[in-house]
Amino acid sequence: MLRKLVAIAAAFFSISAFGATAAWNATVLGTLIDDENFGGCMARITPQPASRSLDCPGGWVTFSCSGDFTTVETGNRKFQAAQLAMMTGTRVFIQVDDLRKHNGFCYARRVDNLPN
């Protein structure tokens, strides 16, 4: 019984220790739409998520337009916010979660358009 409790506690703490969320102001450098991969839509941002100690490759984040981590509508609205920022040259406040990923790329939980 004690061995099971220790195993459960170890699993709980190891999961929480490896997952993180961070938020920062970023510039959107590009966008991507895909029918089959990456949750359907992504944006390339700078500074990159890894610079915020997140386990995220490259500078791309997914908005889960496929509806896996949010609704399709919400994912598309976040993607549109990223496109707006890219086209107007403004920055976004972005919150990224490195526990949820599409094809290895981290999920952006929140996107706020910022004024100039």
Side-chain angles (χ1 to χ4, degrees), residues 1-66:
M1 179 69 166
L2 180 60
R3 190 177 284 177
K4 285 182 184 180
L5 288 174
V6 170
I8 290 170
F12 174 77
F13 288 114
S14 66
I15 289 169
S16 62
F18 290 112
T21 301
W24 65 97
N25 293 345
T27 300
V28 179
L29 302 174
T31 60
L32 174 152
I33 299 171
D34 190 285
D35 285 342
E36 299 175 11
N37 299 297
F38 314 117
C41 64
M42 297 177 73
R44 187 165 60 100
I45 60 171
T46 187
Q48 296 182 5
S51 72
R52 300 299 190 246
S53 299
L54 295 175
D55 180 26
C56 304
W60 291 90
V61 294
T62 176
F63 301 108
S64 197
C65 292
S66 59

Short mmCIF file of all heavy atoms in Angstrom, two decimals, residues 1-66:
data_model
loop_
_atom_site.label_atom_id
_atom_site.label_comp_id
_atom_site.label_asym_id
_atom_site.label_seq_id
_atom_site.Cartn_x
_atom_site.Cartn_y
_atom_site.Cartn_z
N MET A 1 0.82 -1.19 0.00
CA MET A 1 0.00 0.00 0.00
C MET A 1 0.86 1.26 0.00
O MET A 1 0.60 2.18 -0.75
CB MET A 1 -0.92 -0.03 1.23
CG MET A 1 -1.80 1.18 1.33
SD MET A 1 -3.02 1.14 0.02
CE MET A 1 -4.12 2.34 0.58
N LEU A 2 1.87 1.28 0.86
CA LEU A 2 2.76 2.43 0.92
C LEU A 2 3.49 2.62 -0.40
O LEU A 2 3.66 3.75 -0.86
CB LEU A 2 3.76 2.26 2.08
CG LEU A 2 4.75 3.41 2.25
CD1 LEU A 2 4.00 4.71 2.53
CD2 LEU A 2 5.71 3.11 3.39
N ARG A 3 3.88 1.53 -1.02
CA ARG A 3 4.58 1.60 -2.30
C ARG A 3 3.69 2.24 -3.36
O ARG A 3 4.15 3.04 -4.17
CB ARG A 3 4.99 0.19 -2.72
CG ARG A 3 5.93 0.18 -3.90
CD ARG A 3 6.37 -1.20 -4.24
NE ARG A 3 7.38 -1.62 -3.25
CZ ARG A 3 7.94 -2.80 -3.22
NH1 ARG A 3 7.57 -3.72 -4.09
NH2 ARG A 3 8.85 -3.10 -2.33
N LYS A 4 2.39 1.93 -3.36
CA LYS A 4 1.46 2.52 -4.32
C LYS A 4 1.31 4.02 -4.07
O LYS A 4 1.29 4.81 -5.01
CB LYS A 4 0.09 1.85 -4.23
CG LYS A 4 0.04 0.49 -4.85
CD LYS A 4 -1.36 -0.09 -4.77
CE LYS A 4 -1.39 -1.50 -5.32
NZ LYS A 4 -2.74 -2.07 -5.24
N LEU A 5 1.20 4.42 -2.82
CA LEU A 5 1.08 5.84 -2.49
C LEU A 5 2.32 6.62 -2.92
O LEU A 5 2.21 7.73 -3.45
CB LEU A 5 0.84 6.03 -0.99
CG LEU A 5 -0.54 5.62 -0.49
CD1 LEU A 5 -0.60 5.73 1.04
CD2 LEU A 5 -1.61 6.49 -1.11
N VAL A 6 3.48 6.05 -2.70
CA VAL A 6 4.72 6.71 -3.12
C VAL A 6 4.76 6.83 -4.63
O VAL A 6 5.14 7.87 -5.18
CB VAL A 6 5.96 5.94 -2.58
CG1 VAL A 6 7.23 6.47 -3.21
CG2 VAL A 6 6.02 6.03 -1.06
N ALA A 7 4.35 5.80 -5.35
CA ALA A 7 4.34 5.84 -6.81
C ALA A 7 3.37 6.89 -7.33
O ALA A 7 3.68 7.64 -8.26
CB ALA A 7 3.99 4.46 -7.37
N ILE A 8 2.20 6.99 -6.73
CA ILE A 8 1.21 7.99 -7.14
C ILE A 8 1.74 9.39 -6.87
O ILE A 8 1.63 10.28 -7.71
CB ILE A 8 -0.14 7.74 -6.44
CG1 ILE A 8 -0.77 6.46 -6.98
CG2 ILE A 8 -1.08 8.92 -6.63
CD1 ILE A 8 -1.98 5.98 -6.19
N ALA A 9 2.30 9.61 -5.70
CA ALA A 9 2.85 10.92 -5.36
C ALA A 9 3.98 11.30 -6.30
O ALA A 9 4.06 12.44 -6.77
CB ALA A 9 3.33 10.93 -3.91
N ALA A 10 4.84 10.36 -6.62
CA ALA A 10 5.95 10.64 -7.53
C ALA A 10 5.44 11.00 -8.91
O ALA A 10 5.95 11.93 -9.55
CB ALA A 10 6.89 9.43 -7.60
N ALA A 11 4.44 10.30 -9.40
CA ALA A 11 3.87 10.59 -10.71
C ALA A 11 3.23 11.98 -10.71
O ALA A 11 3.41 12.76 -11.65
CB ALA A 11 2.84 9.54 -11.09
N PHE A 12 2.52 12.33 -9.67
CA PHE A 12 1.87 13.63 -9.57
C PHE A 12 2.90 14.75 -9.61
O PHE A 12 2.79 15.70 -10.37
CB PHE A 12 1.03 13.72 -8.30
CG PHE A 12 0.45 15.08 -8.08
CD1 PHE A 12 -0.65 15.50 -8.80
CD2 PHE A 12 1.01 15.95 -7.15
CE1 PHE A 12 -1.18 16.77 -8.60
CE2 PHE A 12 0.49 17.21 -6.95
CZ PHE A 12 -0.61 17.63 -7.68
N PHE A 13 3.93 14.65 -8.80
CA PHE A 13 4.92 15.71 -8.72
C PHE A 13 5.79 15.77 -9.97
O PHE A 13 6.21 16.85 -10.38
CB PHE A 13 5.78 15.58 -7.46
CG PHE A 13 5.01 15.95 -6.22
CD1 PHE A 13 4.72 14.99 -5.26
CD2 PHE A 13 4.57 17.24 -6.02
CE1 PHE A 13 4.00 15.32 -4.13
CE2 PHE A 13 3.85 17.58 -4.89
CZ PHE A 13 3.57 16.61 -3.94
N SER A 14 6.04 14.66 -10.62
CA SER A 14 6.86 14.70 -11.83
C SER A 14 6.10 15.35 -12.97
O SER A 14 6.67 16.08 -13.76
CB SER A 14 7.32 13.31 -12.23
OG SER A 14 6.24 12.50 -12.61
N ILE A 15 4.79 15.13 -13.05
CA ILE A 15 3.99 15.76 -14.10
C ILE A 15 3.96 17.26 -13.90
O ILE A 15 4.19 18.03 -14.81
CB ILE A 15 2.55 15.18 -14.12
CG1 ILE A 15 2.59 13.75 -14.64
CG2 ILE A 15 1.62 16.03 -14.97
CD1 ILE A 15 1.28 12.99 -14.45
N SER A 16 3.68 17.72 -12.69
CA SER A 16 3.59 19.15 -12.45
C SER A 16 4.95 19.82 -12.56
O SER A 16 5.04 20.99 -12.92
CB SER A 16 2.96 19.43 -11.08
OG SER A 16 3.76 18.89 -10.05
N ALA A 17 6.03 19.12 -12.30
CA ALA A 17 7.36 19.71 -12.37
C ALA A 17 7.79 19.95 -13.81
O ALA A 17 8.58 20.83 -14.08
CB ALA A 17 8.37 18.81 -11.67
N PHE A 18 7.28 19.16 -14.74
CA PHE A 18 7.72 19.28 -16.13
C PHE A 18 6.84 20.19 -16.98
O PHE A 18 7.22 20.54 -18.07
CB PHE A 18 7.82 17.90 -16.76
CG PHE A 18 8.95 17.08 -16.21
CD1 PHE A 18 8.69 15.97 -15.45
CD2 PHE A 18 10.26 17.46 -16.41
CE1 PHE A 18 9.72 15.21 -14.92
CE2 PHE A 18 11.30 16.71 -15.89
CZ PHE A 18 11.03 15.60 -15.14
N GLY A 19 5.68 20.55 -16.50
CA GLY A 19 4.80 21.41 -17.27
C GLY A 19 4.86 22.82 -16.77
O GLY A 19 5.03 23.06 -15.59
N ALA A 20 4.74 23.77 -17.70
CA ALA A 20 4.80 25.17 -17.30
C ALA A 20 3.94 26.01 -18.23
O ALA A 20 3.65 25.61 -19.36
CB ALA A 20 6.24 25.66 -17.33
N THR A 21 3.59 27.16 -17.73
CA THR A 21 2.90 28.17 -18.51
C THR A 21 3.64 29.48 -18.30
O THR A 21 4.06 29.78 -17.19
CB THR A 21 1.44 28.32 -18.04
OG1 THR A 21 0.78 27.06 -18.17
CG2 THR A 21 0.69 29.34 -18.87
N ALA A 22 3.79 30.23 -19.37
CA ALA A 22 4.44 31.54 -19.26
C ALA A 22 3.69 32.52 -20.16
O ALA A 22 3.03 32.12 -21.12
CB ALA A 22 5.90 31.45 -19.67
N ALA A 23 3.80 33.79 -19.83
CA ALA A 23 3.14 34.83 -20.60
C ALA A 23 4.11 35.99 -20.81
O ALA A 23 4.89 36.31 -19.91
CB ALA A 23 1.88 35.30 -19.89
N TRP A 24 4.06 36.63 -21.98
CA TRP A 24 4.94 37.74 -22.29
C TRP A 24 4.42 38.48 -23.51
O TRP A 24 3.54 38.01 -24.21
CB TRP A 24 6.38 37.24 -22.53
CG TRP A 24 6.55 36.37 -23.74
CD1 TRP A 24 6.98 36.76 -24.98
CD2 TRP A 24 6.29 34.96 -23.85
NE1 TRP A 24 7.01 35.68 -25.83
CE2 TRP A 24 6.60 34.57 -25.17
CE3 TRP A 24 5.84 33.98 -22.95
CZ2 TRP A 24 6.45 33.25 -25.61
CZ3 TRP A 24 5.70 32.68 -23.40
CH2 TRP A 24 6.01 32.33 -24.71
N ASN A 25 4.98 39.66 -23.78
CA ASN A 25 4.67 40.41 -24.99
C ASN A 25 5.54 39.89 -26.11
O ASN A 25 6.75 39.71 -25.93
CB ASN A 25 4.91 41.90 -24.78
CG ASN A 25 3.95 42.51 -23.79
OD1 ASN A 25 2.92 41.93 -23.46
ND2 ASN A 25 4.26 43.69 -23.31
N ALA A 26 4.93 39.66 -27.27
CA ALA A 26 5.66 39.07 -28.40
C ALA A 26 5.28 39.77 -29.70
O ALA A 26 4.23 40.40 -29.81
CB ALA A 26 5.35 37.58 -28.49
N THR A 27 6.13 39.58 -30.68
CA THR A 27 5.89 40.04 -32.04
C THR A 27 5.58 38.82 -32.90
O THR A 27 6.26 37.80 -32.79
CB THR A 27 7.13 40.76 -32.60
OG1 THR A 27 7.43 41.87 -31.77
CG2 THR A 27 6.91 41.23 -34.03
N VAL A 28 4.55 38.92 -33.72
CA VAL A 28 4.18 37.81 -34.62
C VAL A 28 4.93 38.01 -35.93
O VAL A 28 4.80 39.03 -36.60
CB VAL A 28 2.66 37.78 -34.87
CG1 VAL A 28 2.30 36.65 -35.83
CG2 VAL A 28 1.91 37.62 -33.55
N LEU A 29 5.74 37.02 -36.27
CA LEU A 29 6.58 37.08 -37.47
C LEU A 29 5.96 36.40 -38.67
O LEU A 29 6.31 36.71 -39.82
CB LEU A 29 7.94 36.44 -37.19
CG LEU A 29 8.74 37.04 -36.04
CD1 LEU A 29 10.00 36.22 -35.79
CD2 LEU A 29 9.08 38.49 -36.34
N GLY A 30 5.06 35.45 -38.44
CA GLY A 30 4.45 34.71 -39.54
C GLY A 30 3.33 33.84 -39.06
O GLY A 30 3.18 33.63 -37.85
N THR A 31 2.53 33.33 -39.97
CA THR A 31 1.42 32.44 -39.63
C THR A 31 1.43 31.24 -40.57
O THR A 31 2.04 31.28 -41.63
CB THR A 31 0.06 33.15 -39.71
OG1 THR A 31 -0.14 33.63 -41.04
CG2 THR A 31 -0.03 34.30 -38.72
N LEU A 32 0.73 30.20 -40.17
CA LEU A 32 0.68 28.95 -40.92
C LEU A 32 -0.71 28.34 -40.75
O LEU A 32 -1.25 28.34 -39.64
CB LEU A 32 1.74 28.00 -40.36
CG LEU A 32 1.83 26.57 -40.85
CD1 LEU A 32 3.26 26.10 -40.71
CD2 LEU A 32 0.92 25.65 -40.09
N ILE A 33 -1.28 27.85 -41.84
CA ILE A 33 -2.55 27.12 -41.81
C ILE A 33 -2.29 25.76 -42.44
O ILE A 33 -1.69 25.67 -43.51
CB ILE A 33 -3.65 27.86 -42.57
CG1 ILE A 33 -3.91 29.23 -41.95
CG2 ILE A 33 -4.94 27.03 -42.59
CD1 ILE A 33 -4.83 30.11 -42.77
N ASP A 34 -2.75 24.68 -41.78
CA ASP A 34 -2.50 23.32 -42.26
C ASP A 34 -3.75 22.47 -42.02
O ASP A 34 -4.33 22.52 -40.95
CB ASP A 34 -1.30 22.72 -41.52
CG ASP A 34 -0.83 21.42 -42.14
OD1 ASP A 34 -1.53 20.39 -41.94
OD2 ASP A 34 0.21 21.41 -42.78
N ASP A 35 -4.14 21.69 -43.01
CA ASP A 35 -5.33 20.85 -42.90
C ASP A 35 -5.16 19.67 -41.96
O ASP A 35 -6.14 19.19 -41.40
CB ASP A 35 -5.74 20.30 -44.27
CG ASP A 35 -6.38 21.34 -45.15
OD1 ASP A 35 -6.82 22.38 -44.64
OD2 ASP A 35 -6.42 21.12 -46.38
N GLU A 36 -3.93 19.18 -41.78
CA GLU A 36 -3.74 17.92 -41.08
C GLU A 36 -2.84 17.98 -39.86
O GLU A 36 -2.84 17.06 -39.05
CB GLU A 36 -3.18 16.88 -42.04
CG GLU A 36 -4.10 16.59 -43.21
CD GLU A 36 -3.48 15.65 -44.22
OE1 GLU A 36 -2.43 15.05 -43.92
OE2 GLU A 36 -4.06 15.51 -45.30
N ASN A 37 -2.01 18.99 -39.74
CA ASN A 37 -1.01 19.04 -38.68
C ASN A 37 -1.08 20.34 -37.88
O ASN A 37 -1.77 21.28 -38.27
CB ASN A 37 0.41 18.93 -39.29
CG ASN A 37 0.59 17.62 -40.01
OD1 ASN A 37 0.53 16.56 -39.41
ND2 ASN A 37 0.78 17.70 -41.32
N PHE A 38 -0.35 20.35 -36.79
CA PHE A 38 -0.11 21.54 -35.98
C PHE A 38 -1.38 22.14 -35.38
O PHE A 38 -1.42 23.32 -35.04
CB PHE A 38 0.63 22.61 -36.78
CG PHE A 38 1.81 22.08 -37.55
CD1 PHE A 38 1.85 22.15 -38.93
CD2 PHE A 38 2.87 21.49 -36.87
CE1 PHE A 38 2.93 21.65 -39.63
CE2 PHE A 38 3.96 20.98 -37.58
CZ PHE A 38 3.99 21.07 -38.95
N GLY A 39 -2.43 21.36 -35.24
CA GLY A 39 -3.68 21.88 -34.70
C GLY A 39 -4.41 22.78 -35.68
O GLY A 39 -5.31 23.50 -35.31
N GLY A 40 -3.98 22.77 -36.94
CA GLY A 40 -4.66 23.54 -37.98
C GLY A 40 -4.11 24.91 -38.24
O GLY A 40 -4.21 25.43 -39.35
N CYS A 41 -3.53 25.56 -37.22
CA CYS A 41 -3.01 26.91 -37.41
C CYS A 41 -1.93 27.20 -36.39
O CYS A 41 -1.96 26.68 -35.27
CB CYS A 41 -4.14 27.93 -37.30
SG CYS A 41 -4.91 28.00 -35.66
N MET A 42 -0.97 28.03 -36.79
CA MET A 42 0.14 28.39 -35.91
C MET A 42 0.60 29.80 -36.22
O MET A 42 0.30 30.35 -37.27
CB MET A 42 1.33 27.45 -36.12
CG MET A 42 1.06 26.01 -35.79
SD MET A 42 2.50 24.97 -36.15
CE MET A 42 3.58 25.42 -34.82
N ALA A 43 1.40 30.34 -35.29
CA ALA A 43 2.08 31.61 -35.52
C ALA A 43 3.52 31.48 -35.06
O ALA A 43 3.81 30.79 -34.08
CB ALA A 43 1.38 32.74 -34.78
N ARG A 44 4.41 32.17 -35.77
CA ARG A 44 5.81 32.23 -35.35
C ARG A 44 6.00 33.53 -34.60
O ARG A 44 5.65 34.60 -35.12
CB ARG A 44 6.74 32.16 -36.56
CG ARG A 44 8.20 32.04 -36.17
CD ARG A 44 9.07 31.62 -37.33
NE ARG A 44 9.03 32.54 -38.44
CZ ARG A 44 9.98 33.46 -38.69
NH1 ARG A 44 11.03 33.56 -37.92
NH2 ARG A 44 9.85 34.25 -39.74
N ILE A 45 6.52 33.44 -33.39
CA ILE A 45 6.63 34.61 -32.53
C ILE A 45 8.07 34.80 -32.05
O ILE A 45 8.87 33.88 -32.04
CB ILE A 45 5.69 34.51 -31.31
CG1 ILE A 45 6.02 33.28 -30.46
CG2 ILE A 45 4.23 34.51 -31.75
CD1 ILE A 45 5.29 33.22 -29.14
N THR A 46 8.34 36.04 -31.67
CA THR A 46 9.60 36.36 -31.01
C THR A 46 9.30 37.32 -29.86
O THR A 46 8.45 38.20 -30.03
CB THR A 46 10.64 36.96 -31.99
OG1 THR A 46 11.89 37.10 -31.33
CG2 THR A 46 10.21 38.29 -32.55
N PRO A 47 9.91 37.13 -28.70
CA PRO A 47 10.83 36.08 -28.33
C PRO A 47 10.16 34.71 -28.34
O PRO A 47 8.96 34.59 -28.14
CB PRO A 47 11.27 36.43 -26.91
CG PRO A 47 10.71 37.76 -26.59
CD PRO A 47 9.71 38.10 -27.62
N GLN A 48 10.99 33.70 -28.58
CA GLN A 48 10.50 32.33 -28.66
C GLN A 48 10.11 31.79 -27.28
O GLN A 48 10.66 32.22 -26.27
CB GLN A 48 11.58 31.43 -29.25
CG GLN A 48 11.93 31.78 -30.66
CD GLN A 48 12.96 30.85 -31.25
OE1 GLN A 48 13.36 29.86 -30.64
NE2 GLN A 48 13.40 31.15 -32.46
N PRO A 49 9.17 30.85 -27.23
CA PRO A 49 8.75 30.26 -25.94
C PRO A 49 9.90 29.66 -25.14
O PRO A 49 9.91 29.77 -23.91
CB PRO A 49 7.75 29.18 -26.36
CG PRO A 49 7.20 29.65 -27.66
CD PRO A 49 8.35 30.33 -28.34
N ALA A 50 10.88 29.07 -25.80
CA ALA A 50 12.00 28.47 -25.07
C ALA A 50 12.77 29.52 -24.26
O ALA A 50 13.36 29.20 -23.23
CB ALA A 50 12.94 27.75 -26.03
N SER A 51 12.73 30.78 -24.71
CA SER A 51 13.41 31.84 -23.97
C SER A 51 12.72 32.15 -22.64
O SER A 51 13.26 32.86 -21.81
CB SER A 51 13.50 33.11 -24.82
OG SER A 51 12.23 33.73 -24.94
N ARG A 52 11.52 31.59 -22.47
CA ARG A 52 10.76 31.76 -21.23
C ARG A 52 10.77 30.46 -20.42
O ARG A 52 9.88 30.20 -19.63
CB ARG A 52 9.32 32.16 -21.53
CG ARG A 52 9.18 33.47 -22.28
CD ARG A 52 9.76 34.61 -21.48
NE ARG A 52 9.46 35.91 -22.03
CZ ARG A 52 10.36 36.73 -22.54
NH1 ARG A 52 11.62 36.36 -22.61
NH2 ARG A 52 10.03 37.91 -22.99
N SER A 53 11.77 29.64 -20.66
CA SER A 53 11.98 28.35 -19.96
C SER A 53 10.86 27.35 -20.21
O SER A 53 10.57 26.52 -19.36
CB SER A 53 12.16 28.58 -18.46
OG SER A 53 13.30 29.39 -18.23
N LEU A 54 10.23 27.43 -21.36
CA LEU A 54 9.21 26.45 -21.74
C LEU A 54 9.82 25.38 -22.63
O LEU A 54 10.77 25.64 -23.38
CB LEU A 54 8.06 27.14 -22.49
CG LEU A 54 7.25 28.15 -21.67
CD1 LEU A 54 6.23 28.85 -22.56
CD2 LEU A 54 6.55 27.48 -20.51
N ASP A 55 9.27 24.19 -22.58
CA ASP A 55 9.72 23.08 -23.40
C ASP A 55 9.00 23.14 -24.74
O ASP A 55 8.08 22.37 -25.02
CB ASP A 55 9.44 21.76 -22.68
CG ASP A 55 9.90 20.55 -23.48
OD1 ASP A 55 10.82 20.70 -24.31
OD2 ASP A 55 9.31 19.47 -23.29
N CYS A 56 9.40 24.10 -25.57
CA CYS A 56 8.75 24.35 -26.86
C CYS A 56 9.83 24.54 -27.92
O CYS A 56 10.71 25.37 -27.76
CB CYS A 56 7.91 25.62 -26.79
SG CYS A 56 6.65 25.65 -25.51
N PRO A 57 9.74 23.79 -29.03
CA PRO A 57 10.74 23.93 -30.08
C PRO A 57 10.50 25.18 -30.93
O PRO A 57 9.35 25.59 -31.13
CB PRO A 57 10.55 22.66 -30.91
CG PRO A 57 9.09 22.36 -30.77
CD PRO A 57 8.75 22.76 -29.35
N GLY A 58 11.56 25.76 -31.42
CA GLY A 58 11.44 26.87 -32.36
C GLY A 58 10.60 28.02 -31.85
O GLY A 58 10.35 28.16 -30.66
N GLY A 59 10.16 28.83 -32.75
CA GLY A 59 9.38 30.00 -32.38
C GLY A 59 7.91 29.89 -32.72
O GLY A 59 7.19 30.89 -32.69
N TRP A 60 7.44 28.69 -33.03
CA TRP A 60 6.05 28.50 -33.43
C TRP A 60 5.17 28.08 -32.26
O TRP A 60 5.61 27.31 -31.41
CB TRP A 60 5.94 27.44 -34.52
CG TRP A 60 6.53 27.88 -35.83
CD1 TRP A 60 7.82 27.70 -36.24
CD2 TRP A 60 5.86 28.56 -36.88
NE1 TRP A 60 7.98 28.23 -37.50
CE2 TRP A 60 6.80 28.77 -37.91
CE3 TRP A 60 4.55 29.03 -37.05
CZ2 TRP A 60 6.47 29.41 -39.10
CZ3 TRP A 60 4.23 29.66 -38.23
CH2 TRP A 60 5.18 29.85 -39.25
N VAL A 61 3.93 28.60 -32.22
CA VAL A 61 2.92 28.16 -31.25
C VAL A 61 1.64 27.83 -32.01
O VAL A 61 1.36 28.40 -33.06
CB VAL A 61 2.63 29.23 -30.17
CG1 VAL A 61 3.85 29.46 -29.30
CG2 VAL A 61 2.14 30.53 -30.78
N THR A 62 0.88 26.89 -31.48
CA THR A 62 -0.39 26.51 -32.09
C THR A 62 -1.54 27.13 -31.32
O THR A 62 -1.45 27.34 -30.11
CB THR A 62 -0.56 24.97 -32.13
OG1 THR A 62 -1.86 24.67 -32.66
CG2 THR A 62 -0.40 24.33 -30.77
N PHE A 63 -2.63 27.41 -32.02
CA PHE A 63 -3.84 27.93 -31.39
C PHE A 63 -4.93 26.86 -31.32
O PHE A 63 -6.03 27.13 -30.87
CB PHE A 63 -4.35 29.16 -32.14
CG PHE A 63 -3.33 30.26 -32.19
CD1 PHE A 63 -2.66 30.56 -33.36
CD2 PHE A 63 -3.00 30.98 -31.05
CE1 PHE A 63 -1.71 31.56 -33.41
CE2 PHE A 63 -2.04 31.98 -31.08
CZ PHE A 63 -1.40 32.27 -32.27
N SER A 64 -4.64 25.67 -31.77
CA SER A 64 -5.56 24.55 -31.77
C SER A 64 -6.86 24.88 -32.51
O SER A 64 -7.95 24.67 -31.99
CB SER A 64 -5.85 24.07 -30.34
OG SER A 64 -6.41 22.78 -30.35
N CYS A 65 -6.71 25.37 -33.72
CA CYS A 65 -7.88 25.66 -34.56
C CYS A 65 -8.68 24.39 -34.86
O CYS A 65 -9.84 24.45 -35.26
CB CYS A 65 -7.45 26.33 -35.86
SG CYS A 65 -6.80 28.00 -35.63
N SER A 66 -8.07 23.24 -34.64
CA SER A 66 -8.74 21.95 -34.83
C SER A 66 -9.78 21.68 -33.75
O SER A 66 -10.62 20.80 -33.90
CB SER A 66 -7.70 20.83 -34.82
OG SER A 66 -7.00 20.84 -33.58
#
